[in-house]
Amino acid sequence: RRLQICESSVDSEIREEANKVNPELLIEVDGGIGEATIKQAYDAGVDVCVAGTAVFKADSATEAINNLKALCK
């Protein structure tokens, strides 16, 4: 089952629905994730962020990944 959500936060209702499917289900955001958006997704309660363009169009993929990770601390 796939839920498409366009909210600024992952609220308890969404987590409850995820837990019904699988208590260990991860909530993922795919698309539009980069240095300007990853912190917002992280703060909203997202478990996994897919940052394709931000990584693959960067001069250094390793540096881009490290920068994105650092923004989620």
Side-chain angles (χ1 to χ4, degrees), residues 9 15 19 21 23 28 48 55 63-64 71 73:
S9 66
R15 178 49 64 192
N19 286 342
V21 176
E28 175 183 306
V48 177
V55 172
E63 186 176 322
L71 291 167
K73 292 183 179 180

Side-chain angles (χ1 to χ4, degrees), residues 24-63:
E24 295 185 26
L25 184 80
L26 299 176
I27 296 176
E28 175 183 306
V29 173
D30 186 346
I33 296 296
E35 288 187 6
T37 57
I38 196 164
K39 179 71 169 147
Q40 181 182 2
Y42 176 80
D43 289 345
V46 170
D47 299 304
V48 177
C49 291
V50 178
T53 300
V55 172
F56 295 110
K57 289 201 174 184
D59 292 335
S60 166
T62 301
E63 186 176 322

